[in-house]
């Protein structure tokens, strides 16, 4: 008779309670697929008395997560507390140092400490599973590490934050701005403990950081990522984008150019409405990988929330039960490289620009003169006039393919014109590659 795999769960919030529920509801099926029972030995959260809607009486409760890392009756620690540092980090390190495999949904911790943790996993020959940390229920990490392992990957693009995708979708459907919609996303359990991580693009950056490491065999390098969130996008941008034939999506992007330089960034982008990824709405995520032999691989599914995230956590636990142990970022940690980063100003694309200007003679002429002087050509232009002259109106334009350094210089010069109202212009890239 095979011995059960004994696990401990630290963190019993949205994801942790989902894992307890899934292990119970699909117990028989999981036993058959894993080849052995998976038993929860101990659990831990902050507040023992909180009603979590589950009967947790059968499991040993501990107050300090660190205590789980050293117990002899635990094979695997499942870290679902969150946060890049303590207590999640100490728990992860101590568990692995004590020969335990570790499963986590914590992209923040891996984006900041992934290289050191991967070294530690290799040194102690344990598995560090993090399928749940990127794109919720989509098995994106397995697809890259395993299914696409024979390919040279050229780029990965992803809608990686369910909260932002839900907000942008609802803004488009309702015309509301994001504050009220964010509250709904929080109630559904999609948002991070600090939702500015979602809105500000940090959560997407954590995830694209991990995908870049997996796709290009590099150390996760969070500090090298250029990050723009969705804070500046208003309902009008979404409407204008629709008028031009686009959808706005927050994308995590990692590409390698012909000279081997990496560009890893997070930014709201305009995507042609005819592209499959433009139709990925609500809490759904998408990961598009372009590789030399497999070509374009597009994965979509639910990117956040209790059930899909629990599905990914338990998939890692089942792998451990089966004895599968792949290197954390697809290659032995000692073979991970340090990336050379491409200069952001040298990115060529088409762009969307929105300014708020005074509706008076000469304003558009002044703006176009600046664009002409920087060699930027206008493709489309919309000015929504009010009835009377002199009021503030949005001017929105799309450009032909231009260098980002030139676009950025134009945006600064245009913002300084007397007829342009205070506040940063909205500059978005139009992404044709997806
Ligand atoms: P929650 O905030 O819902 O749950 C966090 C849990 O950790 C709570 O049970 C909390 O205890 C416990 N906790 C916090 N601090 C401590 C501590 N010092 N000691 C012991 N327990 C502690 O978070 P989520 O479940 O949403 O997220 C967990 C992880 O999963 C995060 O890394 C998140 O980024 C990631 N993730 C979340 C997804 C989602 O859709 N929610 C999707 C993918 C990944 P208590 O309940 O007593 O307060
Ligand atoms: N807050 C994250 C999101 C959770 O909205 O996508 C999933 O990682």
């Amino acid at each position: 008779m095979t011995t059960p795999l004994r696990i401990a769960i630290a963190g019993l919030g949205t994801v942790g309670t989902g894992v307890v529920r899934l292990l119970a509801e699909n117990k028989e099926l999981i036993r058959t697929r894993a080849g052995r029972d998976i038993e929860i030995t101990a659990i831990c959260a902050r507040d023992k008395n909180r009603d979590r809607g589950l009967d947790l009486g059968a499991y040993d409760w501990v107050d300090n997560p660190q205590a789980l890392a050293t117990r002899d009756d635990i094979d695997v620690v499942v870290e679902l507390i969150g946060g890049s540092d303590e207590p999640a980090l100490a728990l992860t390190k101590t568990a692995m140092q004590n020969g335990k495999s570790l499963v986590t949904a914590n992209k923040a911790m891996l984006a900041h400490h992934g290289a050191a943790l991967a070294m530690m996993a290799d040194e102690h020959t344990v598995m560090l599973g993090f399928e749940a940390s990127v794109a919720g229920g989509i098995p994106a990490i397995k697809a890259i590490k395993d299914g696409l392992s024979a390919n040279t990957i050229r780029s990965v693009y992803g809608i990686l934050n369910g909260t932002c995708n839900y907000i942008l979708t609802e803004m488009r459907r309702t015309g509301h701005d994001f504050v009220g919609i964010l509250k709904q996303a929080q109630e559904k359990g999609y948002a991070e403990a600090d939702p500015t991580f979602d809105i500000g693009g940090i959560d997407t950056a954590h995830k694209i950081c991990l995908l870049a490491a997996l796709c290009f065999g590099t150390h996760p390098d969070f500090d090298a990522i250029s990050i723009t969130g969705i804070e500046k996008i208003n309902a009008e941008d979404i409407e204008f984008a629709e008028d031009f034939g686009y959808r706005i999506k927050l994308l995590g992007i990692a590409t390698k150019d012909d000279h081997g330089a990496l560009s890893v960034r997070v930014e709201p982008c305009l995507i042609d409405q005819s592209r499959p990824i433009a139709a990925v709405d609500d809490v759904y995520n998408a990961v598009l990988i372009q590789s030399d032999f497999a070509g374009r691989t597009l994965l979509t599914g639910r990117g956040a929330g209790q059930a899909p995230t629990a599905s990914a956590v338990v998939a890692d636990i089942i792998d451990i039960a089966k004895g599968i142990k792949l290197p954390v970022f697809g290659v032995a940690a000692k073979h991970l490289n340090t990336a050379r980063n491409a200069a952001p100003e040298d990115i060529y694309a088409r762009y969307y620009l929105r300014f708020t200007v005074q509706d008076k003679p000469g304003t558009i002429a002044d703006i176009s003169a600046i664009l002409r002087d920087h060699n930027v050509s206008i493709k489309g232009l919309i000015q929504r006039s009010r009835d009377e002259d002199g009021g503030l109106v949005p001017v929105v334009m799309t450009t032909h393919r231009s260098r980002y350094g030139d676009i950025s210089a134009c945006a600064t010069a245009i913002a300084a014109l007397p007829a342009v109202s205070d506040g940063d212009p909205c500059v978005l890239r139009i992404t044709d590659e997806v």
Side-chain angles (χ1 to χ4, degrees), residues 105 107 132-136 160-164 189-192 198 203 207 283 285 303-305 309:
K107 53 266 167 164
S133 65
V134 177
L160 300 173
N161 186 270
T163 303
C164 286
Y190 302 158
E192 293 303 300
D198 295 292
D203 178 73
K207 294 165 177 168
V283 73
N285 279 193
T309 312

Side-chain angles (χ1 to χ4, degrees), residues 147-154 289-297:
L148 295 172
S149 60
N151 286 261
T152 300
I153 294 179
R154 303 190 195 288
I289 305 139
Q290 314 209 44
S291 57
D292 55 354
F293 275 63
R296 291 163 66 88
T297 306

Side-chain angles (χ1 to χ4, degrees), residues 1 11 24 44-45 77 96 123 127 131 138 143 149 169 177 183 190 274 299 332 354 357 370 388 393 400:
M1 176 73 180
C44 169
V77 173
M96 291 198 293
E123 190 186 329
M127 167 148 155
E131 184 63 66
I138 306 175
S149 60
T169 305
D177 276 336
K183 196 156 173 287
Y190 302 158
S274 65
L299 307 164
R354 172 180 49 79
V357 306
I370 289 173
E388 59 304 330
V393 292
H400 284 286

Side-chain angles (χ1 to χ4, degrees), residues 62-75:
V62 303
D63 287 319
N64 180 357
Q66 265 308 93
L68 302 171
T70 50
R71 278 172 58 154
D72 290 337
D73 60 348
I74 290 167
D75 304 309

